[in-house]
Amino acid sequence: MKKNFYLLLFVMLFSFVASAQRFEYQLGLKGGLGIGFLAANDDDIVSKDDGFNYKFGLTGIYYFGENYGFVSGFNVIGNKISYKYKIIDFVDQIMVETIEDRNINNTYFQIPIMLKMRTDPIGDNVRIFGEIGYGLNILAAQRDKGDFDHPYRDVCSSLIVHLGAEMEVLNRSTLQFMIAYDDFFSNMMSKGNNKMTVRDLCLEIGFLF
């Protein structure tokens, strides 16, 4: 009985070690540029312009299978979006309407938590991959333009979706090209009844070691 137990323990340990040899860790850098879109339910926003966004940071991938991995890291995200805001005042009991140019210019620290799925190699060293997950965004800087003050939340959430291709280079390194969609789905505003969110779409390039 004891021999069978030790034999079973040995087989389980051997299987774990053999499986662990297939696990792979990769660390790297990435960055990207793109456009941002403002979504708001404020009726006083009369028009919105497509904005500019950038992203750069560190990424780490732990592959728990040949084609599946866990992705996390640290990103710096900048959003700059302009819009026109309607202001109504009363002067001598006469309603005066003016249009003010406003500008959102925020920087966030983001911690992503994503699942990565990739295909088997196509040809010698190319794979198609997708990533989906959650982003925790911490407001790092606020530089609004205009005579107003936006009460932003210190923390907001986003849905992250990546679709791209990767190529093995220099033996074990990986070069990535991807289209990245980042939807700040939770309300950025901390006060009032109005909801304001940002959606980013950008092209990212990464290099993993």
Side-chain angles (χ1 to χ4, degrees):
M1 185 68 179
K2 186 177 294 186
K3 290 183 179 180
N4 292 335
F5 172 77
Y6 287 129
L7 178 62
L8 178 61
L9 184 62
F10 174 78
V11 171
M12 292 176 60
L13 181 61
F14 179 80
S15 299
F16 175 79
V17 173
S19 298
Q21 291 177 351
R22 296 186 290 106
F23 295 170
E24 183 180 358
Y25 300 87
Q26 283 189 300
L27 298 174
L29 306 171
K30 67 176 182 178
L33 298 173
I35 56 177
F37 309 93
L38 177 66
N41 65 351
D42 192 339
D43 294 335
D44 291 327
I45 296 179
V46 296
S47 67
K48 296 168 285 189
D49 297 326
D50 294 341
F52 165 81
N53 75 78
Y54 64 85
K55 180 189 294 185
F56 64 89
L58 304 174
T59 185
I61 305 176
Y62 166 68
Y63 289 100
F64 54 84
E66 176 65 24
N67 296 327
Y68 300 93
F70 172 78
V71 183
S72 190
F74 177 83
N75 296 319
V76 177
I77 300 177
N79 285 303
K80 186 174 182 180
I81 301 177
S82 300
Y83 64 95
K84 295 184 182 298
Y85 193 82
K86 178 175 64 177
I87 300 176
I88 297 177
D89 292 319
F90 287 89
V91 179
D92 295 331
Q93 297 183 348
I94 299 175
M95 185 177 70
V96 178
E97 179 179 306
T98 58
I99 303 298
E100 182 181 75
D101 292 326
R102 293 188 173 183
N103 182 286
I104 297 173
N105 190 353
N106 292 345
T107 301
Y108 290 91
F109 293 154
Q110 183 186 75
I111 301 175
I113 302 173
M114 296 184 291
L115 172 67
K116 177 174 182 177
M117 297 162 284
R118 64 180 182 177
T119 65
D120 291 329
I122 302 173
D124 293 333
N125 55 2
V126 176
R127 296 175 186 257
I128 306 298
F129 71 90
E131 298 172 348
I132 186 170
Y134 169 81
L136 176 66
N137 308 298
I138 303 170
L139 183 64
Q142 173 185 341
R143 297 174 294 273
D144 290 339
K145 179 182 177 181
D147 187 18
F148 67 101
D149 179 27
H150 268 145
Y152 294 111
R153 294 182 185 273
D154 292 331
V155 178
C156 60
S157 301
S158 63
L159 169 69
I160 306 172
V161 180
H162 294 163
L163 179 63
E166 60 185 25
M167 176 185 303
E168 185 177 320
V169 295
L170 303 176
N171 293 328
R172 290 185 56 83
S173 298
T174 302
L175 183 63
Q176 291 185 327
F177 300 91
M178 73 185 80
I179 297 174
Y181 175 72
D182 203 329
D183 183 356
F184 286 63
F185 62 84
S186 65
N187 193 3
M188 297 166 54
M189 313 302 292
S190 62
K191 296 180 181 179
N193 297 323
N194 296 322
K195 181 177 181 179
M196 183 178 292
T197 62
V198 171
R199 299 180 179 94
D200 293 336
L201 183 66
C202 65
L203 176 64
E204 291 188 22
I205 299 176
F207 189 82
L208 304 172
F209 302 94

